[in-house]
Amino acid sequence: MSKIEIKNLTVDYIEKKKSFTALKNVSFSIEEGEFVSIIGSSGCGKSTLLSILEGINTPTKGEILIDGEPIRGTSADRGVVFQHYSLFPWMTARKNVAFGIKQVNKKASRADRLRIADEFLEKVGLEQFRNKYPSQLSGGMQQRVAIARALAMDTDILLMDEPFGAIDAKNRTALQELLLKLWEGDGTKTRKTVVFVTHDIDESILLSDKIVMMTANPGRVYREIPVPFDRPRDRARLVQTKEYTVFRNSLLAMFYNDIAEKIGGEEVVL
């Protein structure tokens, strides 16, 4: 049994008295410990799909099963990292992380929550900033706090909605490497199951075990593509290989040919 099973998912919206289909008959599965990226052009329903996985929206048709059970609202088994940090501005970095821990472990003492918060802030390189407020931190540092909070919550599933989209290229690369390092761990624990929404093809290749490419209007699964590169992945070496170039170009061709189909353009040949 897969960790997550998405079955014939359809989502319809009503906007200005007109019906709009965001997702139509979307089906795929995600195994336990698998890192899956969802990519596609704007409007293909990536964030809508993630919101249903979070449990904050419900489908018009179909269902999502986690460990064989249908989603019934939000749950402590799913941690979320958004694109725009989502930290409480009146709490320090330490207290933001500790607050997340409290949501999933009501029995943990305050001292234990703060200890765990310090541990994860150290992992993301922010131990010396633990008593700073979000307004005193850069965007990249705020996102590291958000990642620390999600990982400290120790949920089985981690949902990430373009978490690095608003961050400059240098910090984005550093956060990608950090996420991989923390996800891969030391081999003593089962990896978390990660669903990662992104527009960045290179990011999806570096991070993922599998890429789900979606097409828009309405949102459908266009292709499921296993990433053929062994872990751990050395970015500097990997991007220089012929295999990487060929695989990347095949993804680009799928991506742009889908867009060309939608606008009536010519097929892209790479």
Side-chain angles (χ1 to χ4, degrees):
M1 180 176 63
S2 300
K3 183 70 175 178
I4 301 172
E5 294 181 74
I6 300 167
K7 296 185 173 183
N8 302 314
L9 204 69
T10 294
V11 179
D12 296 323
Y13 291 119
I14 302 294
E15 291 183 359
K16 297 180 180 180
K17 298 182 180 181
K18 292 184 178 180
S19 178
F20 171 73
T21 301
L23 295 170
K24 186 170 183 179
N25 296 331
V26 170
S27 297
F28 62 95
S29 61
I30 300 172
E31 302 306 314
E32 184 174 14
E34 193 172 26
F35 197 124
V36 174
S37 284
I38 301 174
I39 65 174
S41 56
S42 296
C44 70
K46 301 185 298 294
S47 293
T48 298
L49 177 58
L50 212 68
S51 73
I52 297 170
L53 276 163
E54 290 174 48
I56 60 176
N57 282 328
T58 55
T60 307
K61 297 178 183 176
E63 63 181 352
I64 298 181
L65 305 179
I66 295 179
D67 293 326
E69 297 294 327
I71 291 176
R72 308 290 188 196
T74 57
S75 171
D77 66 354
R78 281 160 270 152
V80 184
V81 180
F82 300 99
Q83 181 174 351
H84 296 293
Y85 323 137
S86 66
L87 301 178
F88 297 115
W90 60 89
M91 291 184 182
T92 64
R94 189 188 197 200
K95 289 183 178 178
N96 262 286
V97 178
F99 178 84
I101 298 166
K102 185 177 181 180
Q103 303 316 297
V104 297
N105 189 354
K106 304 290 187 184
K107 295 181 179 180
S109 67
R110 182 176 182 275
D112 282 341
R113 294 196 302 270
L114 292 175
R115 176 184 55 77
I116 296 169
D118 288 345
E119 174 187 338
F120 279 87
L121 286 171
E122 181 178 2
K123 286 183 178 182
V124 299
L126 291 176
E127 64 274 18
Q128 68 193 73
F129 298 95
R130 65 182 186 175
N131 293 320
K132 299 292 186 182
Y133 291 90
S135 63
Q136 298 172 303
L137 302 174
S138 69
M141 293 167 76
Q142 290 183 54
Q143 195 63 317
R144 277 190 275 167
V145 175
I147 291 170
R149 180 175 62 189
L151 292 170
M153 290 168 67
D154 199 25
T155 57
D156 292 339
I157 297 169
L158 188 57
L159 308 174
M160 308 188 81
D161 192 359
E162 296 189 64
F164 311 139
I167 298 173
D168 64 88
K170 182 178 179 181
N171 278 316
R172 183 177 186 135
T173 298
L175 286 170
Q176 289 167 352
E177 299 288 355
L178 173 66
L179 175 61
L180 271 185
K181 181 180 178 181
L182 294 177
W183 173 75
E184 289 174 341
D186 59 6
T188 61
K189 295 180 68 175
T190 302
R191 290 172 174 170
K192 298 183 186 305
T193 304
V194 180
V195 184
F196 189 96
V197 168
T198 181
H199 280 99
D200 189 317
I201 285 177
D202 291 291
E203 182 172 71
S204 69
I205 297 172
L206 174 70
L207 298 176
S208 311
D209 296 310
K210 178 172 70 179
I211 296 169
V212 177
M213 184 173 290
M214 297 187 67
T215 182
N217 302 319
R220 301 174 186 263
V221 173
Y222 187 64
R223 235 23 111 69
E224 292 183 54
I225 310 111
V227 178
F229 306 116
D230 293 336
R231 297 186 186 274
R233 294 173 188 158
D234 183 320
R235 179 198 301 266
R237 292 181 181 178
L238 182 61
V239 299
Q240 296 181 45
T241 64
K242 179 181 178 181
E243 292 79 9
Y244 181 88
T245 301
V246 170
F247 184 68
R248 181 179 187 274
N249 285 348
S250 71
L251 290 177
L252 284 169
M254 288 182 225
F255 183 78
Y256 287 113
N257 285 336
D258 171 51
I259 293 174
E261 289 172 11
K262 295 298 180 184
I263 63 177
E266 295 183 359
E267 184 172 314
V268 178
V269 179
L270 295 174

